[in-house]
Amino acid sequence: MGTGIDFALTAVALIVGIMMILGKGDFFLNDKNARERNRIYDMRKVQKGFGVVLIVVGIATGVSAVIASSVAYIIYTVVVLLAFAGGIVYMRKCCKR
């Protein structure tokens, strides 16, 4: 990807992540099954967990944009996959009501 796009994605991920940690990002999680999801999960914990995931992804994207090498790209891919996997495990284990 281009460096400009990487920095834009970094900024968006950090802004949305901070909004979710502060509890102001609930509209990012709205969908047609929101009522069912709210009954099953504690949405404050879910927002904070995925806020952390988005901040980690944003930082990894920013570092990957600055350091352009194949090793950095592999590390970036691993970090992003682990962050999302950790977020999903956190949501299923710690956020149930």
Side-chain angles (χ1 to χ4, degrees):
M1 272 195 275
T3 306
I5 294 173
D6 287 341
F7 287 124
L9 289 174
T10 298
V12 169
L14 291 174
I15 290 169
V16 172
I18 290 170
M19 286 176 66
M20 290 184 84
I21 285 180
L22 295 175
K24 306 292 185 194
D26 55 343
F27 59 91
F28 291 115
L29 300 174
N30 286 338
D31 61 354
K32 64 180 181 177
N33 296 325
R35 186 174 298 147
E36 180 69 19
R37 189 185 61 234
N38 289 340
R39 187 181 61 78
I40 297 172
Y41 296 105
D42 181 5
M43 292 312 291
R44 265 181 88 91
K45 288 182 181 179
V46 170
Q47 279 187 44
K48 289 184 188 240
F50 278 105
V52 170
V53 168
L54 284 171
I55 288 174
V56 169
V57 169
I59 291 170
T61 305
V63 170
S64 175
V66 173
I67 303 170
S69 71
S70 58
V71 174
Y73 183 71
I74 292 170
I75 292 172
Y76 167 74
T77 304
V78 170
V79 166
V80 168
L81 290 175
L82 287 175
F84 278 111
I88 291 170
V89 169
Y90 170 76
M91 184 179 80
R92 292 188 180 224
K93 299 283 183 186
C94 300
C95 298
K96 293 250 182 176
R97 288 190 187 259

